[in-house]
Amino acid sequence: MSEKPKLHYFNGRGRMESIRWLLAPAGVEFEEEFLESREWYEMLLQDGALLFQQVPMVEIDGMKMVQTRAILSYIAGKYNLYGKDLKERAWIDMYVEGVRDLMDLIRVHHKLSPQEQQKNLALIGEKAATRYFPVYEKILKDHKDDFLVGNQLTWADVQLIEAILTVEEKVPTILSEFLLLQAFKARVSSIATIKKFLQPGSQRKPPTDEKAVAFTNRIFNRR
Amino acid sequence: MSASERGWGGRRRQALISVLSWPPAQRKERTGNRNAEIMAGKPKLHYTNGRGKMESIRWLLAAAGVEFEEEFIETKEDLEKLRNDGSLLFQQVPMVEIDGMKMVQTRAILSYIAAKHNLYGKDLKERAWIDMYVEGTTDLMGMIMYLPFQPAEAKEKNLALIIERATARYFPAYEKVLKDHGHDYLVGNKLSWADIHLLEAILMAEECKPDILSAFPLLQAFKGRISNIPTIKKFLQPGSQRKPPADEKFIAHVKKIFNM
């Protein structure tokens, strides 16, 4: 069989975290090579290993894949987390993209100044509670299945539970109005592979803090 | 045995083989009437009367030879109506009515159209490469699309960044892809979504700097080649549903509708 996928990124969540999340429920073991310094990043660049000079990069099945969405789609397709036909895939794509918009608000949070963070926190809470979570609550209500699409676990469910847990870190009461999402969260968290990923010692990364932001700024030469 | 009794042998088989080698769109024109009956009407696009995030969708449908209708959002009230109707899953456009679905999220819509019209490669790996290439051109076109919405002081800086990214990051990558395999198309030696998206990006970048492809001979040839595909050639002509670049008046109009 092919070797384990190898993830190239810094030792933190960022854009790679969704990829770690998707590999985990599929029960796929993976290795990680952390960018520890600017020199390391430049070495990758010089090797021509980064198609658009960017990470995440995942070595998988003989490819050096870049672009988060492309990597996630490939993993979902490969491990049967992408529905059974074109229409199911369409719904999964729509649900995943919706969640991604919410996750992007959180991902940039620690790059902001303290005042901007206050505003961003309010925005995250507002968007989660009025634009995104009501949609997923309604989907679950309308079909009464355990999962978002096609009555089986898909990428959409994994992306949603990642989003729920990540938003809860910032806004702990965010699910108070969403009973079906609470049940969804409990149900999906107890799936064996996901449960394992949620335990200490897994490759899941802790929330990004200021130190991590300063570190990545240094590596990527950001002002 | 007479020719008519030969069934799929002889000339009919040759004709079929030659049709199968045409690009998907041309093939559809000749054999697609049956498909048209099966499909539930033309896709209907809901957006403002400008490029924005919908333009890539127009490009892809046009290249695939798919006729589509457009309903333009002209006022804030038009947008509110769509929202109140429950037509917009996340309260946002683009929205495309297609095959009984009200699809939202640009990438989801594009992926669906690509797969449906055989522009997404032949297997998972080809799809992976197409996805990677499309994400690159999306990033570049995104920068160009948001340029008019940046504050005036930042415009010059951002334009310089776009040109730098195009000529130092993105175009070299695609030039190398074409150089390495020597084929006419980016993936699988066959027209795919990646090629259509790249042509769109090239033309947008040229609107920023007309000689932006000067260091990329293979991309120049690629541009000429893809532009000549009948469905794309048609889309590039005046009178098509392709939208012009946004001008000041249109930007102000859009900002009003979306409360920007």
Side-chain angles (χ1 to χ4, degrees), chain A residues 52-54 61 63 66-67 69-70 78 82 86-87 89 93-94 97 101 131 135-136, chain B residues 89-90 92 99 104-105 107-108 115 120 124-125 127 129 131-132 135 139 168-170 174:
Chain A
F52 300 119
Q53 305 158 357
Q54 298 163 315
D61 296 342
M63 298 181 285
V66 296
Q67 294 290 348
R69 264 183 201 81
K78 184 176 176 185
Y82 223 160
L86 205 54
K87 276 208 171 169
R89 212 166 84 199
D93 278 341
M94 281 187 260
E97 289 293 305
D101 286 346
R131 176 171 284 190
V135 171
Y136 301 104
Chain B
L89 188 63
F90 301 113
Q92 298 164 318
D99 297 341
V104 295
Q105 295 290 347
R107 264 180 202 79
Y120 220 163
L124 206 56
K125 274 204 171 172
R127 212 167 84 199
W129 287 110
D131 278 340
M132 282 187 257
E135 289 295 303
D139 284 348
R169 174 175 291 186
Y170 294 109
Y174 299 108

mmCIF file of all heavy atoms in Angstrom, chain A residues 52-54 61 63 66-67 69-70 78 82 86-87 89 93-94 97 101 131 135-136, chain B residues 89-90 92 99 104-105 107-108 115 120 124-125 127 129 131-132 135 139 168-170 174:
data_model
loop_
_atom_site.group_PDB
_atom_site.id
_atom_site.type_symbol
_atom_site.label_atom_id
_atom_site.label_comp_id
_atom_site.label_asym_id
_atom_site.label_seq_id
_atom_site.Cartn_x
_atom_site.Cartn_y
_atom_site.Cartn_z
ATOM 1 N N PHE A 52 2.653 26.749 -5.728
ATOM 2 C CA PHE A 52 2.425 28.192 -5.724
ATOM 3 C C PHE A 52 3.171 28.852 -4.573
ATOM 4 O O PHE A 52 2.732 29.866 -4.025
ATOM 5 C CB PHE A 52 0.930 28.505 -5.632
ATOM 6 C CG PHE A 52 0.110 27.947 -6.774
ATOM 7 C CD1 PHE A 52 -0.897 27.028 -6.524
ATOM 8 C CD2 PHE A 52 0.355 28.318 -8.083
ATOM 9 C CE1 PHE A 52 -1.663 26.498 -7.571
ATOM 10 C CE2 PHE A 52 -0.401 27.798 -9.137
ATOM 11 C CZ PHE A 52 -1.409 26.886 -8.877
ATOM 12 N N GLN A 53 4.311 28.224 -4.179
ATOM 13 C CA GLN A 53 5.169 28.773 -3.128
ATOM 14 C C GLN A 53 4.470 28.836 -1.771
ATOM 15 O O GLN A 53 4.869 29.610 -0.913
ATOM 16 C CB GLN A 53 5.668 30.182 -3.500
ATOM 17 C CG GLN A 53 6.376 30.195 -4.840
ATOM 18 C CD GLN A 53 6.413 31.572 -5.467
ATOM 19 O OE1 GLN A 53 5.853 32.523 -4.923
ATOM 20 N NE2 GLN A 53 7.074 31.703 -6.601
ATOM 21 N N GLN A 54 3.421 28.047 -1.604
ATOM 22 C CA GLN A 54 2.647 28.141 -0.362
ATOM 23 C C GLN A 54 2.486 26.774 0.295
ATOM 24 O O GLN A 54 2.498 25.738 -0.361
ATOM 25 C CB GLN A 54 1.250 28.697 -0.646
ATOM 26 C CG GLN A 54 1.201 30.102 -1.211
ATOM 27 C CD GLN A 54 -0.155 30.384 -1.844
ATOM 28 O OE1 GLN A 54 -0.698 29.564 -2.580
ATOM 29 N NE2 GLN A 54 -0.705 31.547 -1.565
ATOM 30 N N ASP A 61 0.107 9.850 -2.161
ATOM 31 C CA ASP A 61 -0.041 9.069 -3.389
ATOM 32 C C ASP A 61 0.824 9.595 -4.527
ATOM 33 O O ASP A 61 0.380 9.719 -5.672
ATOM 34 C CB ASP A 61 -1.530 9.058 -3.829
ATOM 35 C CG ASP A 61 -2.394 8.355 -2.798
ATOM 36 O OD1 ASP A 61 -1.827 7.604 -1.963
ATOM 37 O OD2 ASP A 61 -3.612 8.572 -2.779
ATOM 38 N N MET A 63 1.929 12.498 -5.089
ATOM 39 C CA MET A 63 1.750 13.895 -5.466
ATOM 40 C C MET A 63 2.205 14.784 -4.308
ATOM 41 O O MET A 63 2.128 14.404 -3.150
ATOM 42 C CB MET A 63 0.272 14.204 -5.744
ATOM 43 C CG MET A 63 -0.344 13.434 -6.891
ATOM 44 S SD MET A 63 -2.096 13.896 -7.142
ATOM 45 C CE MET A 63 -2.884 13.053 -5.761
ATOM 46 N N VAL A 66 -0.972 20.828 -3.051
ATOM 47 C CA VAL A 66 -1.117 22.114 -2.381
ATOM 48 C C VAL A 66 -2.558 22.572 -2.555
ATOM 49 O O VAL A 66 -3.334 21.938 -3.251
ATOM 50 C CB VAL A 66 -0.155 23.180 -2.948
ATOM 51 C CG1 VAL A 66 1.291 22.791 -2.702
ATOM 52 C CG2 VAL A 66 -0.406 23.380 -4.438
ATOM 53 N N GLN A 67 -2.877 23.718 -1.927
ATOM 54 C CA GLN A 67 -4.225 24.283 -1.960
ATOM 55 C C GLN A 67 -5.178 23.447 -1.103
ATOM 56 O O GLN A 67 -5.604 22.345 -1.457
ATOM 57 C CB GLN A 67 -4.777 24.403 -3.390
ATOM 58 C CG GLN A 67 -4.015 25.405 -4.238
ATOM 59 C CD GLN A 67 -4.255 26.846 -3.791
ATOM 60 O OE1 GLN A 67 -5.150 27.144 -2.986
ATOM 61 N NE2 GLN A 67 -3.463 27.770 -4.280
ATOM 62 N N ARG A 69 -8.329 23.330 -0.285
ATOM 63 C CA ARG A 69 -9.559 22.729 -0.798
ATOM 64 C C ARG A 69 -9.283 21.528 -1.692
ATOM 65 O O ARG A 69 -9.999 20.541 -1.649
ATOM 66 C CB ARG A 69 -10.362 23.762 -1.596
ATOM 67 C CG ARG A 69 -11.432 24.431 -0.806
ATOM 68 C CD ARG A 69 -12.199 25.367 -1.685
ATOM 69 N NE ARG A 69 -12.888 26.368 -0.918
ATOM 70 C CZ ARG A 69 -12.328 27.472 -0.440
ATOM 71 N NH1 ARG A 69 -11.055 27.704 -0.667
ATOM 72 N NH2 ARG A 69 -13.041 28.332 0.255
ATOM 73 N N ALA A 70 -8.256 21.636 -2.540
ATOM 74 C CA ALA A 70 -7.917 20.537 -3.439
ATOM 75 C C ALA A 70 -7.539 19.305 -2.624
ATOM 76 O O ALA A 70 -7.959 18.180 -2.919
ATOM 77 C CB ALA A 70 -6.767 20.948 -4.362
ATOM 78 N N LYS A 78 -11.167 10.003 -1.908
ATOM 79 C CA LYS A 78 -10.430 8.751 -1.750
ATOM 80 C C LYS A 78 -11.005 7.874 -0.640
ATOM 81 O O LYS A 78 -11.035 6.651 -0.763
ATOM 82 C CB LYS A 78 -8.966 9.069 -1.450
ATOM 83 C CG LYS A 78 -8.105 7.838 -1.357
ATOM 84 C CD LYS A 78 -6.639 8.149 -1.167
ATOM 85 C CE LYS A 78 -5.921 6.795 -0.995
ATOM 86 N NZ LYS A 78 -4.519 6.932 -0.687
ATOM 87 N N TYR A 82 -17.415 11.539 0.306
ATOM 88 C CA TYR A 82 -17.884 12.556 -0.634
ATOM 89 C C TYR A 82 -19.228 12.194 -1.258
ATOM 90 O O TYR A 82 -19.543 12.654 -2.342
ATOM 91 C CB TYR A 82 -16.834 12.741 -1.739
ATOM 92 C CG TYR A 82 -16.556 14.183 -2.130
ATOM 93 C CD1 TYR A 82 -15.385 14.526 -2.792
ATOM 94 C CD2 TYR A 82 -17.458 15.209 -1.863
ATOM 95 C CE1 TYR A 82 -15.121 15.834 -3.167
ATOM 96 C CE2 TYR A 82 -17.203 16.519 -2.239
ATOM 97 C CZ TYR A 82 -16.015 16.825 -2.882
ATOM 98 O OH TYR A 82 -15.745 18.123 -3.261
ATOM 99 N N LEU A 86 -23.099 12.697 -7.970
ATOM 100 C CA LEU A 86 -22.797 14.096 -8.239
ATOM 101 C C LEU A 86 -23.642 15.052 -7.410
ATOM 102 O O LEU A 86 -23.172 16.074 -6.912
ATOM 103 C CB LEU A 86 -23.041 14.357 -9.727
ATOM 104 C CG LEU A 86 -22.266 15.507 -10.345
ATOM 105 C CD1 LEU A 86 -20.788 15.353 -10.109
ATOM 106 C CD2 LEU A 86 -22.557 15.553 -11.849
ATOM 107 N N LYS A 87 -24.928 14.716 -7.238
ATOM 108 C CA LYS A 87 -25.801 15.622 -6.487
ATOM 109 C C LYS A 87 -25.439 15.637 -5.008
ATOM 110 O O LYS A 87 -25.410 16.694 -4.381
ATOM 111 C CB LYS A 87 -27.272 15.245 -6.687
ATOM 112 C CG LYS A 87 -27.839 15.836 -7.956
ATOM 113 C CD LYS A 87 -29.330 16.081 -7.879
ATOM 114 C CE LYS A 87 -29.815 16.879 -9.093
ATOM 115 N NZ LYS A 87 -31.296 16.912 -9.178
ATOM 116 N N ARG A 89 -22.528 15.101 -3.841
ATOM 117 C CA ARG A 89 -21.285 15.843 -3.781
ATOM 118 C C ARG A 89 -21.565 17.345 -3.817
ATOM 119 O O ARG A 89 -20.915 18.123 -3.120
ATOM 120 C CB ARG A 89 -20.374 15.441 -4.947
ATOM 121 C CG ARG A 89 -18.907 15.507 -4.601
ATOM 122 C CD ARG A 89 -18.074 14.807 -5.617
ATOM 123 N NE ARG A 89 -17.772 15.644 -6.762
ATOM 124 C CZ ARG A 89 -17.372 15.176 -7.948
ATOM 125 N NH1 ARG A 89 -17.233 13.887 -8.138
ATOM 126 N NH2 ARG A 89 -17.122 16.006 -8.932
ATOM 127 N N ASP A 93 -20.386 19.876 -1.008
ATOM 128 C CA ASP A 93 -19.573 21.053 -1.347
ATOM 129 C C ASP A 93 -20.204 22.332 -0.802
ATOM 130 O O ASP A 93 -19.526 23.189 -0.252
ATOM 131 C CB ASP A 93 -19.408 21.178 -2.871
ATOM 132 C CG ASP A 93 -18.302 20.293 -3.424
ATOM 133 O OD1 ASP A 93 -17.425 19.863 -2.638
ATOM 134 O OD2 ASP A 93 -18.308 20.022 -4.641
ATOM 135 N N MET A 94 -21.509 22.473 -0.974
ATOM 136 C CA MET A 94 -22.183 23.689 -0.492
ATOM 137 C C MET A 94 -22.062 23.807 1.015
ATOM 138 O O MET A 94 -21.741 24.874 1.547
ATOM 139 C CB MET A 94 -23.660 23.667 -0.887
ATOM 140 C CG MET A 94 -23.909 24.051 -2.328
ATOM 141 S SD MET A 94 -25.682 24.202 -2.668
ATOM 142 C CE MET A 94 -26.008 22.631 -3.471
ATOM 143 N N GLU A 97 -18.429 24.621 2.066
ATOM 144 C CA GLU A 97 -18.046 26.000 1.748
ATOM 145 C C GLU A 97 -18.664 26.975 2.744
ATOM 146 O O GLU A 97 -18.029 27.946 3.148
ATOM 147 C CB GLU A 97 -18.474 26.370 0.321
ATOM 148 C CG GLU A 97 -17.670 25.674 -0.754
ATOM 149 C CD GLU A 97 -16.228 26.125 -0.798
ATOM 150 O OE1 GLU A 97 -15.976 27.340 -0.915
ATOM 151 O OE2 GLU A 97 -15.342 25.264 -0.701
ATOM 152 N N ASP A 101 -16.408 29.484 5.307
ATOM 153 C CA ASP A 101 -16.506 30.938 5.449
ATOM 154 C C ASP A 101 -16.477 31.313 6.928
ATOM 155 O O ASP A 101 -15.834 32.288 7.328
ATOM 156 C CB ASP A 101 -17.794 31.471 4.795
ATOM 157 C CG ASP A 101 -17.713 31.460 3.268
ATOM 158 O OD1 ASP A 101 -16.593 31.305 2.733
ATOM 159 O OD2 ASP A 101 -18.761 31.602 2.616
ATOM 160 N N ARG A 131 -26.454 33.102 10.546
ATOM 161 C CA ARG A 131 -26.314 32.734 9.134
ATOM 162 C C ARG A 131 -26.000 31.262 8.955
ATOM 163 O O ARG A 131 -26.534 30.623 8.044
ATOM 164 C CB ARG A 131 -25.218 33.589 8.478
ATOM 165 C CG ARG A 131 -24.949 33.201 7.030
ATOM 166 C CD ARG A 131 -24.028 34.184 6.338
ATOM 167 N NE ARG A 131 -24.717 35.424 5.991
ATOM 168 C CZ ARG A 131 -24.211 36.384 5.216
ATOM 169 N NH1 ARG A 131 -23.018 36.260 4.712
ATOM 170 N NH2 ARG A 131 -24.907 37.478 4.958
ATOM 171 N N VAL A 135 -28.838 27.091 9.422
ATOM 172 C CA VAL A 135 -28.951 26.325 8.174
ATOM 173 C C VAL A 135 -28.762 24.838 8.455
ATOM 174 O O VAL A 135 -29.549 23.994 8.008
ATOM 175 C CB VAL A 135 -27.908 26.816 7.152
ATOM 176 C CG1 VAL A 135 -27.859 25.893 5.946
ATOM 177 C CG2 VAL A 135 -28.244 28.232 6.720
ATOM 178 N N TYR A 136 -27.716 24.524 9.210
ATOM 179 C CA TYR A 136 -27.428 23.117 9.479
ATOM 180 C C TYR A 136 -28.455 22.498 10.417
ATOM 181 O O TYR A 136 -28.818 21.325 10.277
ATOM 182 C CB TYR A 136 -25.994 22.965 10.012
ATOM 183 C CG TYR A 136 -24.973 23.488 9.022
ATOM 184 C CD1 TYR A 136 -24.341 24.711 9.218
ATOM 185 C CD2 TYR A 136 -24.690 22.783 7.844
ATOM 186 C CE1 TYR A 136 -23.441 25.212 8.287
ATOM 187 C CE2 TYR A 136 -23.798 23.271 6.908
ATOM 188 C CZ TYR A 136 -23.180 24.487 7.137
ATOM 189 O OH TYR A 136 -22.306 24.989 6.193
ATOM 190 N N LEU B 89 -29.204 29.813 0.488
ATOM 191 C CA LEU B 89 -28.894 28.973 1.653
ATOM 192 C C LEU B 89 -28.165 29.741 2.755
ATOM 193 O O LEU B 89 -28.488 29.612 3.938
ATOM 194 C CB LEU B 89 -28.056 27.771 1.199
ATOM 195 C CG LEU B 89 -27.784 26.692 2.230
ATOM 196 C CD1 LEU B 89 -29.064 26.029 2.699
ATOM 197 C CD2 LEU B 89 -26.841 25.635 1.666
ATOM 198 N N PHE B 90 -27.170 30.548 2.357
ATOM 199 C CA PHE B 90 -26.420 31.324 3.350
ATOM 200 C C PHE B 90 -26.613 32.819 3.134
ATOM 201 O O PHE B 90 -25.731 33.615 3.437
ATOM 202 C CB PHE B 90 -24.925 30.958 3.288
ATOM 203 C CG PHE B 90 -24.643 29.506 3.540
ATOM 204 C CD1 PHE B 90 -24.143 28.687 2.545
ATOM 205 C CD2 PHE B 90 -24.881 28.945 4.796
ATOM 206 C CE1 PHE B 90 -23.879 27.344 2.778
ATOM 207 C CE2 PHE B 90 -24.623 27.602 5.039
ATOM 208 C CZ PHE B 90 -24.132 26.798 4.026
ATOM 209 N N GLN B 92 -26.500 34.483 0.531
ATOM 210 C CA GLN B 92 -25.550 35.070 -0.389
ATOM 211 C C GLN B 92 -25.779 34.627 -1.829
ATOM 212 O O GLN B 92 -26.332 33.556 -2.098
ATOM 213 C CB GLN B 92 -24.107 34.655 -0.008
ATOM 214 C CG GLN B 92 -23.663 35.106 1.359
ATOM 215 C CD GLN B 92 -22.421 34.348 1.800
ATOM 216 O OE1 GLN B 92 -22.321 33.139 1.611
ATOM 217 N NE2 GLN B 92 -21.475 35.038 2.386
ATOM 218 N N ASP B 99 -30.828 21.818 -12.329
ATOM 219 C CA ASP B 99 -31.217 20.436 -12.034
ATOM 220 C C ASP B 99 -32.008 20.313 -10.734
ATOM 221 O O ASP B 99 -31.752 19.420 -9.922
ATOM 222 C CB ASP B 99 -29.974 19.533 -11.989
ATOM 223 C CG ASP B 99 -29.286 19.492 -13.341
ATOM 224 O OD1 ASP B 99 -29.940 19.830 -14.350
ATOM 225 O OD2 ASP B 99 -28.104 19.152 -13.391
ATOM 226 N N VAL B 104 -25.678 27.311 -4.219
ATOM 227 C CA VAL B 104 -24.918 28.490 -3.812
ATOM 228 C C VAL B 104 -23.475 28.065 -3.592
ATOM 229 O O VAL B 104 -23.149 26.882 -3.668
ATOM 230 C CB VAL B 104 -25.473 29.114 -2.516
ATOM 231 C CG1 VAL B 104 -26.869 29.656 -2.733
ATOM 232 C CG2 VAL B 104 -25.445 28.110 -1.383
ATOM 233 N N GLN B 105 -22.616 29.059 -3.280
ATOM 234 C CA GLN B 105 -21.180 28.831 -3.084
ATOM 235 C C GLN B 105 -20.506 28.550 -4.426
ATOM 236 O O GLN B 105 -20.644 27.482 -5.020
ATOM 237 C CB GLN B 105 -20.899 27.689 -2.092
ATOM 238 C CG GLN B 105 -21.364 27.998 -0.669
ATOM 239 C CD GLN B 105 -20.522 29.080 -0.003
ATOM 240 O OE1 GLN B 105 -19.443 29.456 -0.485
ATOM 241 N NE2 GLN B 105 -20.991 29.629 1.099
ATOM 242 N N ARG B 107 -17.595 27.776 -5.614
ATOM 243 C CA ARG B 107 -16.811 26.572 -5.902
ATOM 244 C C ARG B 107 -17.691 25.344 -6.051
ATOM 245 O O ARG B 107 -17.441 24.488 -6.881
ATOM 246 C CB ARG B 107 -15.785 26.324 -4.806
ATOM 247 C CG ARG B 107 -14.445 26.876 -5.159
ATOM 248 C CD ARG B 107 -13.462 26.608 -4.067
ATOM 249 N NE ARG B 107 -12.346 27.523 -4.114
ATOM 250 C CZ ARG B 107 -12.357 28.761 -3.678
ATOM 251 N NH1 ARG B 107 -13.458 29.256 -3.152
ATOM 252 N NH2 ARG B 107 -11.279 29.503 -3.756
ATOM 253 N N ALA B 108 -18.729 25.242 -5.234
ATOM 254 C CA ALA B 108 -19.632 24.094 -5.310
ATOM 255 C C ALA B 108 -20.318 24.075 -6.678
ATOM 256 O O ALA B 108 -20.426 23.028 -7.326
ATOM 257 C CB ALA B 108 -20.670 24.166 -4.193
ATOM 258 N N ALA B 115 -18.058 18.622 -13.402
ATOM 259 C CA ALA B 115 -18.248 17.171 -13.377
ATOM 260 C C ALA B 115 -19.356 16.761 -14.331
ATOM 261 O O ALA B 115 -19.237 15.780 -15.074
ATOM 262 C CB ALA B 115 -18.567 16.703 -11.964
ATOM 263 N N TYR B 120 -13.859 17.574 -15.741
ATOM 264 C CA TYR B 120 -13.226 17.408 -14.437
ATOM 265 C C TYR B 120 -12.248 16.227 -14.428
ATOM 266 O O TYR B 120 -12.004 15.654 -13.373
ATOM 267 C CB TYR B 120 -14.310 17.200 -13.371
ATOM 268 C CG TYR B 120 -14.064 17.906 -12.051
ATOM 269 C CD1 TYR B 120 -15.110 18.088 -11.140
ATOM 270 C CD2 TYR B 120 -12.810 18.385 -11.681
ATOM 271 C CE1 TYR B 120 -14.914 18.722 -9.926
ATOM 272 C CE2 TYR B 120 -12.601 19.020 -10.463
ATOM 273 C CZ TYR B 120 -13.663 19.188 -9.585
ATOM 274 O OH TYR B 120 -13.477 19.822 -8.377
ATOM 275 N N LEU B 124 -9.772 10.413 -9.947
ATOM 276 C CA LEU B 124 -9.546 11.208 -8.745
ATOM 277 C C LEU B 124 -8.262 12.027 -8.820
ATOM 278 O O LEU B 124 -8.215 13.186 -8.381
ATOM 279 C CB LEU B 124 -9.501 10.260 -7.547
ATOM 280 C CG LEU B 124 -9.873 10.842 -6.181
ATOM 281 C CD1 LEU B 124 -11.255 11.455 -6.215
ATOM 282 C CD2 LEU B 124 -9.825 9.749 -5.126
ATOM 283 N N LYS B 125 -7.213 11.447 -9.378
ATOM 284 C CA LYS B 125 -5.936 12.149 -9.434
ATOM 285 C C LYS B 125 -5.992 13.317 -10.412
ATOM 286 O O LYS B 125 -5.493 14.400 -10.122
ATOM 287 C CB LYS B 125 -4.803 11.187 -9.800
ATOM 288 C CG LYS B 125 -4.226 10.470 -8.611
ATOM 289 C CD LYS B 125 -2.808 9.997 -8.840
ATOM 290 C CE LYS B 125 -2.224 9.475 -7.526
ATOM 291 N NZ LYS B 125 -0.910 8.816 -7.735
ATOM 292 N N ARG B 127 -8.614 14.908 -11.160
ATOM 293 C CA ARG B 127 -9.451 15.897 -10.495
ATOM 294 C C ARG B 127 -8.618 16.684 -9.480
ATOM 295 O O ARG B 127 -8.795 17.895 -9.327
ATOM 296 C CB ARG B 127 -10.621 15.206 -9.788
ATOM 297 C CG ARG B 127 -11.873 16.049 -9.755
ATOM 298 C CD ARG B 127 -13.078 15.252 -9.347
ATOM 299 N NE ARG B 127 -13.202 15.133 -7.913
ATOM 300 C CZ ARG B 127 -13.941 14.201 -7.298
ATOM 301 N NH1 ARG B 127 -14.611 13.314 -8.006
ATOM 302 N NH2 ARG B 127 -14.008 14.159 -5.980
ATOM 303 N N TRP B 129 -5.424 17.425 -9.620
ATOM 304 C CA TRP B 129 -4.595 18.422 -10.315
ATOM 305 C C TRP B 129 -5.455 19.583 -10.810
ATOM 306 O O TRP B 129 -5.077 20.745 -10.686
ATOM 307 C CB TRP B 129 -3.816 17.787 -11.477
ATOM 308 C CG TRP B 129 -2.693 16.945 -10.982
ATOM 309 C CD1 TRP B 129 -2.603 15.584 -11.037
ATOM 310 C CD2 TRP B 129 -1.516 17.385 -10.303
ATOM 311 N NE1 TRP B 129 -1.448 15.165 -10.433
ATOM 312 C CE2 TRP B 129 -0.757 16.239 -9.978
ATOM 313 C CE3 TRP B 129 -1.022 18.641 -9.927
ATOM 314 C CZ2 TRP B 129 0.458 16.304 -9.311
ATOM 315 C CZ3 TRP B 129 0.199 18.719 -9.255
ATOM 316 C CH2 TRP B 129 0.924 17.561 -8.954
ATOM 317 N N ASP B 131 -8.227 20.633 -9.503
ATOM 318 C CA ASP B 131 -8.560 21.420 -8.306
ATOM 319 C C ASP B 131 -7.406 22.326 -7.905
ATOM 320 O O ASP B 131 -7.600 23.499 -7.591
ATOM 321 C CB ASP B 131 -8.911 20.502 -7.129
ATOM 322 C CG ASP B 131 -10.351 20.000 -7.176
ATOM 323 O OD1 ASP B 131 -11.186 20.621 -7.865
ATOM 324 O OD2 ASP B 131 -10.642 18.983 -6.524
ATOM 325 N N MET B 132 -6.190 21.787 -7.900
ATOM 326 C CA MET B 132 -5.036 22.589 -7.504
ATOM 327 C C MET B 132 -4.865 23.775 -8.444
ATOM 328 O O MET B 132 -4.682 24.910 -8.001
ATOM 329 C CB MET B 132 -3.762 21.745 -7.510
ATOM 330 C CG MET B 132 -3.611 20.857 -6.306
ATOM 331 S SD MET B 132 -1.994 20.037 -6.287
ATOM 332 C CE MET B 132 -2.444 18.397 -6.831
ATOM 333 N N GLU B 135 -7.574 26.405 -7.985
ATOM 334 C CA GLU B 135 -7.420 27.188 -6.761
ATOM 335 C C GLU B 135 -6.390 28.293 -6.963
ATOM 336 O O GLU B 135 -6.549 29.400 -6.446
ATOM 337 C CB GLU B 135 -7.004 26.289 -5.591
ATOM 338 C CG GLU B 135 -8.103 25.370 -5.094
ATOM 339 C CD GLU B 135 -9.265 26.118 -4.481
ATOM 340 O OE1 GLU B 135 -9.049 26.890 -3.534
ATOM 341 O OE2 GLU B 135 -10.393 25.946 -4.964
ATOM 342 N N ASP B 139 -7.231 32.273 -6.699
ATOM 343 C CA ASP B 139 -6.531 33.232 -5.835
ATOM 344 C C ASP B 139 -6.128 34.469 -6.640
ATOM 345 O O ASP B 139 -6.323 35.608 -6.188
ATOM 346 C CB ASP B 139 -5.282 32.580 -5.219
ATOM 347 C CG ASP B 139 -5.640 31.627 -4.087
ATOM 348 O OD1 ASP B 139 -6.800 31.632 -3.626
ATOM 349 O OD2 ASP B 139 -4.749 30.863 -3.651
ATOM 350 N N ALA B 168 5.386 36.152 -11.048
ATOM 351 C CA ALA B 168 6.413 35.442 -10.272
ATOM 352 C C ALA B 168 5.888 34.187 -9.589
ATOM 353 O O ALA B 168 6.660 33.311 -9.209
ATOM 354 C CB ALA B 168 7.017 36.378 -9.223
ATOM 355 N N ARG B 169 4.589 34.084 -9.400
ATOM 356 C CA ARG B 169 4.052 32.919 -8.700
ATOM 357 C C ARG B 169 3.180 32.062 -9.598
ATOM 358 O O ARG B 169 3.376 30.865 -9.738
ATOM 359 C CB ARG B 169 3.262 33.370 -7.469
ATOM 360 C CG ARG B 169 2.548 32.234 -6.760
ATOM 361 C CD ARG B 169 1.876 32.670 -5.468
ATOM 362 N NE ARG B 169 2.863 33.010 -4.447
ATOM 363 C CZ ARG B 169 2.562 33.321 -3.181
ATOM 364 N NH1 ARG B 169 1.313 33.332 -2.797
ATOM 365 N NH2 ARG B 169 3.504 33.625 -2.309
ATOM 366 N N TYR B 170 2.163 32.648 -10.206
ATOM 367 C CA TYR B 170 1.156 31.814 -10.869
ATOM 368 C C TYR B 170 1.531 31.441 -12.306
ATOM 369 O O TYR B 170 1.597 30.263 -12.646
ATOM 370 C CB TYR B 170 -0.214 32.496 -10.807
ATOM 371 C CG TYR B 170 -0.722 32.590 -9.383
ATOM 372 C CD1 TYR B 170 -0.789 33.811 -8.706
ATOM 373 C CD2 TYR B 170 -1.073 31.427 -8.687
ATOM 374 C CE1 TYR B 170 -1.210 33.875 -7.391
ATOM 375 C CE2 TYR B 170 -1.496 31.486 -7.369
ATOM 376 C CZ TYR B 170 -1.560 32.709 -6.722
ATOM 377 O OH TYR B 170 -1.968 32.768 -5.409
ATOM 378 N N TYR B 174 2.074 27.572 -14.278
ATOM 379 C CA TYR B 174 1.323 27.001 -15.395
ATOM 380 C C TYR B 174 2.197 26.842 -16.643
ATOM 381 O O TYR B 174 2.055 25.872 -17.397
ATOM 382 C CB TYR B 174 0.081 27.851 -15.705
ATOM 383 C CG TYR B 174 -0.882 27.921 -14.530
ATOM 384 C CD1 TYR B 174 -1.017 29.088 -13.784
ATOM 385 C CD2 TYR B 174 -1.628 26.802 -14.143
ATOM 386 C CE1 TYR B 174 -1.876 29.147 -12.692
ATOM 387 C CE2 TYR B 174 -2.479 26.848 -13.046
ATOM 388 C CZ TYR B 174 -2.601 28.026 -12.326
ATOM 389 O OH TYR B 174 -3.443 28.072 -11.238
#
